[in-house]
Amino acid sequence: MSIQGTTRNHFEGKKVVRLEYEAYIPMAEAEIKKICRGIRNRWPAIQHISIHHRLGLVNVTEASVIIAISGPHRNESLEAVKYCIDTLKATVPIWKKEIYDNEEYIWKENKECQWVKNN
């Protein structure tokens, strides 16, 4: 099972032209490894996990994140993909700058982020 998150061309009436992602790479990689361990612990039958989140500029319609998980049972694989994207958004330190057609921009926080919930 897989999910591919693509860049939308709008947000709250504004025209989005591209996104820019930044990350603290060592911490992001460590958090992604924790997600993989969590998947393997929760769904031991899962066979393969692939997680890729782009950094830098991402144009409209291009993929920002791709997650693919394989296993012998589709329900477990679907649950694992959902867990993966939800946990990635909540724990992995990746920051998104949304750039609009008038060249204004805003740094966005995921509402799922643990550090946002605690503030």
Side-chain angles (χ1 to χ4, degrees):
M1 301 295 161
S2 65
I3 185 171
Q4 176 176 305
T6 57
T7 303
R8 291 181 292 247
N9 66 355
H10 64 282
F11 179 77
E12 294 183 354
K14 295 180 183 178
K15 184 176 179 182
V16 176
V17 293
R18 65 187 173 280
L19 302 177
E20 184 175 343
Y21 288 97
E22 291 185 8
Y24 178 56
I25 294 173
M27 186 181 283
E29 288 175 344
E31 289 298 320
I32 289 171
K33 287 178 184 176
K34 282 185 196 175
I35 293 169
C36 291
R37 285 193 300 273
I39 290 168
R40 295 211 180 275
N41 287 336
R42 194 165 175 179
W43 297 280
I46 293 298
Q47 295 169 337
H48 299 86
I49 304 168
S50 180
I51 304 168
H52 179 75
H53 199 297
R54 289 179 60 184
L55 299 177
L57 293 177
V58 180
N59 291 315
V60 169
T61 72
E62 292 182 357
S64 299
V65 61
I66 298 173
I67 297 169
I69 297 177
S70 68
H73 307 289
R74 75 173 171 264
N75 285 340
E76 286 182 349
S77 297
L78 282 169
E79 289 171 11
V81 166
K82 182 177 181 338
Y83 167 86
C84 186
I85 190 66
D86 291 346
T87 306
L88 184 144
K89 286 179 163 265
T91 65
V92 179
I94 297 174
W95 299 278
K96 174 173 72 173
K97 181 166 68 171
E98 200 167 71
I99 304 162
Y100 306 109
D101 63 343
N102 62 3
E103 291 305 312
E104 289 181 6
Y105 65 87
I106 187 169
W107 284 98
K108 306 287 293 263
E109 292 180 327
N110 282 325
K111 292 177 181 156
E112 301 92 342
C113 290
Q114 293 174 348
W115 54 86
V116 171
K117 288 181 181 177
N118 293 331
N119 290 335

